[in-house]
Amino acid sequence: MGRVTVPRRILRLRQGTPSHRPDSLAAEEPMEIRVGGRPLTVTMRTPGSDFDLAAGFLVSEGVLHAAGHLAGIRYCAGATADGGNSYNVVDVVLAAGVPAPDASLERNFYTTSSCGLCGKASLDAVRTTAPWSVAEDGLRVTPELLSALPDRLRAAQKVFDSTGGLHAAGLFDAEGRLLCLREDVGRHNAVDKVVGHALREGLLPARGTVLMVSGRASFELVQKAVMAGIPMLAAVSAPSSLAADLAEESGLTLVGFLRGDSMNVYTRTDRIALADEGSRTAVQSDRQSGS
């Protein structure tokens, strides 16, 4: 299988002093996802948890909703010119009766590691209908619990220490316990790997959980959380306006700029369990007034 890191010799400059030393880079390789032998998309990813990535991608696209929808996943033999296995082509076999992906989901060109939505054949396919709602999820967490998640996410990253070049996504329960962590050069890939793991473990919809991501919160990450039934998405950086719009529309709690004991809560603020009753009442009033 492909390597997660790739060694490279570099010239390092520190205060004008040169030195030659080995370095490790996060690997990035293409992976083609096929469904029933039919090519669907190619994504640039860090090798590892490839079956989770393929399954999570299909959850995000509304193809898979439960573990029983998945009959199998395999690497395709003969993926190279000499008949060898590159471990860069994955074929997903759907269970009997599960409809194949609609043709509108096919990508016109490959998906880069930085953009999960680039190249969609139809923009109408972006707002995929979720099989369940997160709006009624009763999750409530304290600010203190949320503040602890970035450090817990960082502490669980195994490859970041050697490369410094990987995003992370982690799924936490309501008590702050880490259920799954995945790393990848692409933010959306890391989330797909987490969602794919949850699907294969029979955890969808992921009620009462928090999805923590190491970067910003984009529209696509909100969409992936909603499609997985995850009621809260927290990010260390900023959300986009479209991400906030989709979170509001879907009933998902969106938290951004989660750093230390500081954070911004953009939607469904009632899921934040504030210690001060007066503050909580003010939050509820904000929600009722639509602010």
Short mmCIF file of all heavy atoms in Angstrom, two decimals, residues 39 62 94 112 254 290:
data_model
loop_
_atom_site.label_atom_id
_atom_site.label_comp_id
_atom_site.label_asym_id
_atom_site.label_seq_id
_atom_site.Cartn_x
_atom_site.Cartn_y
_atom_site.Cartn_z
N PRO A 39 -16.11 3.78 -12.84
CA PRO A 39 -15.39 4.91 -12.24
C PRO A 39 -16.34 6.04 -11.87
O PRO A 39 -17.22 6.41 -12.64
CB PRO A 39 -14.43 5.35 -13.35
CG PRO A 39 -14.26 4.14 -14.21
CD PRO A 39 -15.61 3.44 -14.18
N GLY A 62 -24.92 10.78 -0.46
CA GLY A 62 -26.26 10.25 -0.33
C GLY A 62 -26.47 8.87 -0.91
O GLY A 62 -27.61 8.43 -1.06
N LEU A 94 -22.16 -2.28 -3.84
CA LEU A 94 -23.37 -1.94 -3.11
C LEU A 94 -24.19 -3.20 -2.84
O LEU A 94 -24.17 -4.15 -3.62
CB LEU A 94 -24.21 -0.93 -3.90
CG LEU A 94 -23.52 0.38 -4.27
CD1 LEU A 94 -24.48 1.26 -5.08
CD2 LEU A 94 -23.04 1.11 -3.04
N THR A 112 -9.30 17.68 -6.02
CA THR A 112 -8.04 17.92 -5.34
C THR A 112 -8.19 17.70 -3.85
O THR A 112 -9.28 17.65 -3.32
CB THR A 112 -7.56 19.36 -5.58
OG1 THR A 112 -8.42 20.26 -4.87
CG2 THR A 112 -7.56 19.72 -7.05
N LEU A 254 -22.77 25.03 14.78
CA LEU A 254 -21.50 25.31 14.13
C LEU A 254 -20.66 26.18 15.05
O LEU A 254 -21.06 27.29 15.42
CB LEU A 254 -21.74 26.02 12.80
CG LEU A 254 -20.49 26.40 11.99
CD1 LEU A 254 -19.66 25.18 11.64
CD2 LEU A 254 -20.90 27.17 10.72
N GLY A 290 -34.26 34.73 16.17
CA GLY A 290 -33.62 34.50 14.87
C GLY A 290 -32.30 35.17 14.71
O GLY A 290 -31.75 35.24 13.62
#
